[in-house]
Structure formats: C-alpha cells, structure tokens
Amino acid sequence: MSESGRAPGVREVAAAAGVSRQTVSRVLNDHPNIRPETRERVLSAMADLNFRPNRAARMLTTARSRTIGVLAASASSLFGPASSIDAVEQAGREAGYFVTVAHAASLDPAELGAAIDHLGAQSVEGVVVIAPQQAVQEAMAALSLSVPSVTLHGAGVAGDEGVFVDQFEGARIATRHLLDRGHIRIVHLSGPGDWSEARARRDGFVAELSAAGLEAVVSREGDWTAASGAAIGAELLAGPDAPTAIFSSNDQMALGVLHASRLLGLRVPEDLALVGFDDIPEAAFFSPPLTTVRQDFPELGRRCVARLVALIEGRELAFAAPVAPVLVIRDSA
C-alpha cells in the first residue's frame, strides 16, 4: 500500500523506477519503443510495490480488454475437459491475457447462446470452445461469434490446425502394446459415442487390430465413470470367451474394470491385462498401477492460446502435427 493507504498506482511505480508516468503506461501496454533496461526497471518496481494494473482503466486507454473467454459445456467436471480449461487458463495468463470461463448448464443451444452472451458482456477478444460432444459442435456451428474462436474437440477435425491431441494414435499405441504382449483376445471398453474423443479412440483400436489381422471387439458404451466400467467389465469377463486384455477409453472406467476383475477372482495383469487413457493423477496409485495413455494438456493449452492470440492479432498460426500422446507403462499390462 502507498503512504495514503490506497493501492499503489502508476505514479508510485514511476517514482520508484525513476521514469515518467507515460513510460510506465507504455510498459503496461507493451509498447515496442521501450529500451529493455527501462522495461526491466519498471517491471521490477511493479513487483516491489505489488502493483496490479487497473483493468477497466486499461480498457479505456487501449480499447482492448486483453481477455480470452472459455466456453465450457456441462461435462466440464470430467478430467479431460477440466484439464483443458486449466491448461487454457494457465497459457492465457502466461500470454498476458485475462481468462474468464462461462459454463453452459446444458447442451441446449439456448444455454450455449446464453454462455456466449455472458462472455460478450466481459468484452472478450476471443473465445476457446471446449466441445467434446457432437451436440456442442453442431450447436456452435449454428451460432455466430463476433470474435475469433478456437475449438478444442480433443480428437481433431479439418481446420483444427494441430490444436488437438492425437486420440486415434493414442488408441493405436495402447492396442499395439497389448498385441506386443501376446494378447489376441482384446476388447475395447468404449466411451460415449457422442464424444469425438471416444469415437477416435474406438477407431484407433479397430484400425490397429485390423492391421494385425484380428477381429476388433468393442463393448457397449460406458459413460466415463468407474461404475459403468465395473458393470461392463463384469459382463465382458464373466463369459467363456472372456478377453485376456481390455483397452479402456478412459482411466475411470479402467478402475471399474479392476474392481470387477477382483470380484471375479481375476489377477491383473496375470489373468487380464488392462490399459486406460488420460493418465489421471490417481492412475499411478491404482492396484496395480495403471498402464495408460498420457495427454499433454499444458501443450494443448499453449497451442490453443497461441492460435487464438494470432487470430485476434490478424495472423494465421498452424501447427504441423497434433499433440503426440505418450504410453505410460506401469504394472497393469
């Protein structure tokens, strides 16, 4: 606090740095014609004084909010969407942007429109749409955004310009790992069919088994929860033609399969090999620790924000390849 008891302002920063208030303003607005040593001196004074720029005042002087909006649908509490939101928020801050999140209460187009209106009221300069479900993608296609936007599908479609994790390849490397371990009776525990990630993981599984000349067996759809994994896992493992390996579309459903296998007296990995997808923080502490496919959400967030900022500034930015998934081998397969 300043001697007057109020939060320090531009005047106090200028005095501490030994520069004019105009110079402080230029540093705040990222003006190019500032010498590096002067910029560092001003930034150091800001840090010493715990200076926080007044966002409203900056909007008045620059006509820019430097704010990015994130539109999240009703499934934003699940690991993948939640991790995507966190990654975008972190990357936005690193890029010098405020990030505001609007959650749509349902997949209804009216709810999505209301969330967009909320972001518009925050004067956002661009919007990141977290759109894992087909219904969200279709509804967003029918809506008109007045600012640039980047959509995170998770699986990638035409025009995504490398701003997605390669779910198809992630499923292939998971399935290939089970094949390399000698398994031929492999079943895929599918995620919800209206999710692009679930469809891409299923397609990758089918492609890898087909390439090996084996029949691809896909379970009925789970809903991403451990409860659905346990129920479907019990069905798959109880019959005479039970698989020796299961590739689960996410780690929570894989946890349910572990529960079902234990109730049936099956040992993992001796009687059943199991691979998940996502590498949630708890996966390393399953019993046994889960072999799974890791998604690089921080890199996904950086790419998303970088592309959106480029669009805001009237530039194009594309990435040559999608974010590569990584197989994390533990004790379950």
Side-chain angles (χ1 to χ4, degrees):
M1 295 292 251
S2 65
E3 293 181 359
S4 64
R6 63 178 178 84
V10 171
R11 182 175 60 184
E12 287 78 14
V13 172
V19 298
S20 68
R21 281 181 283 181
Q22 185 180 34
T23 297
V24 174
S25 178
R26 286 175 174 170
V27 171
L28 283 171
N29 295 320
D30 204 22
H31 197 282
N33 296 330
I34 296 290
R35 288 183 297 177
E37 58 270 24
T38 301
R39 186 185 305 276
E40 286 302 315
R41 195 160 72 248
V42 172
L43 292 176
S44 178
M46 289 179 182
D48 291 343
L49 293 171
N50 198 27
F51 171 76
R52 294 290 182 270
N54 185 303
R55 181 182 172 201
R58 289 186 68 183
M59 286 179 63
L60 288 173
T61 58
T62 67
R64 291 194 59 185
S65 67
R66 294 195 69 83
T67 301
I68 290 173
V70 176
L71 174 61
S74 58
S76 57
S77 61
L78 294 175
F79 179 77
S83 298
S84 297
I85 293 170
D86 288 346
V88 170
E89 286 187 305
Q90 178 62 35
R93 288 195 297 271
E94 291 174 355
Y97 280 78
F98 298 95
V99 179
T100 182
V101 181
H103 294 270
S106 74
L107 304 184
D108 183 82
E111 289 288 347
L112 294 171
I116 290 174
D117 289 343
H118 175 76
L119 294 176
Q122 309 303 310
S123 300
V124 298
E125 296 187 32
V127 175
V128 175
V129 181
I130 309 293
Q133 303 109 312
Q134 185 69 30
V136 177
Q137 297 164 27
E138 292 173 353
M140 291 305 302
L143 294 173
S144 177
L145 289 174
S146 59
V147 294
S149 66
V150 172
T151 300
L152 287 185
H153 296 285
V157 297
D160 278 351
E161 308 292 357
V163 187
F164 63 96
V165 176
D166 195 338
Q167 311 288 324
F168 183 86
E169 179 60 21
R172 293 200 71 155
I173 62 176
T175 307
R176 193 177 310 133
H177 175 72
L178 293 172
L179 290 169
D180 290 344
R181 294 298 174 95
H183 295 280
I184 57 174
R185 296 204 313 275
I186 308 172
V187 172
H188 176 49
L189 201 171
S190 175
D194 63 334
W195 285 61
S196 56
E197 290 98 331
R199 294 194 302 273
R201 294 169 195 174
R202 178 198 62 208
D203 292 346
F205 167 78
V206 171
E208 191 64 24
L209 277 190
S210 298
L214 297 173
E215 179 187 4
V217 179
V218 179
S219 76
R220 66 180 174 90
E221 296 174 4
D223 63 4
W224 298 129
T225 66
S228 71
I232 298 172
E235 294 173 6
L236 296 174
L237 298 172
D241 297 324
T244 63
I246 292 177
F247 164 45
S248 174
S249 196
N250 80 333
D251 290 347
Q252 284 93 342
M253 291 194 298
L255 175 60
V257 173
L258 280 175
H259 178 74
S261 64
R262 188 170 292 111
L263 292 180
L264 291 168
L266 299 175
R267 300 166 301 163
V268 176
E270 292 85 357
D271 302 317
L272 175 72
L274 180 64
V275 177
F277 205 108
D278 280 337
D279 194 26
I280 63 175
E282 297 82 4
F285 301 96
F286 286 6
S287 182
L290 184 67
T291 294
T292 184
V293 178
R294 177 180 296 159
Q295 303 191 70
D296 190 345
F297 287 108
E299 174 62 17
L300 181 64
R302 283 190 289 271
R303 290 191 184 194
C304 181
V305 170
R307 175 154 172 78
L308 184 60
V309 170
L311 293 173
I312 291 170
E313 296 176 352
R315 298 180 288 109
E316 282 291 332
L317 176 64
F319 296 90
V323 179
V326 176
L327 181 68
V328 180
I329 300 175
R330 298 192 180 104
D331 297 339
S332 68

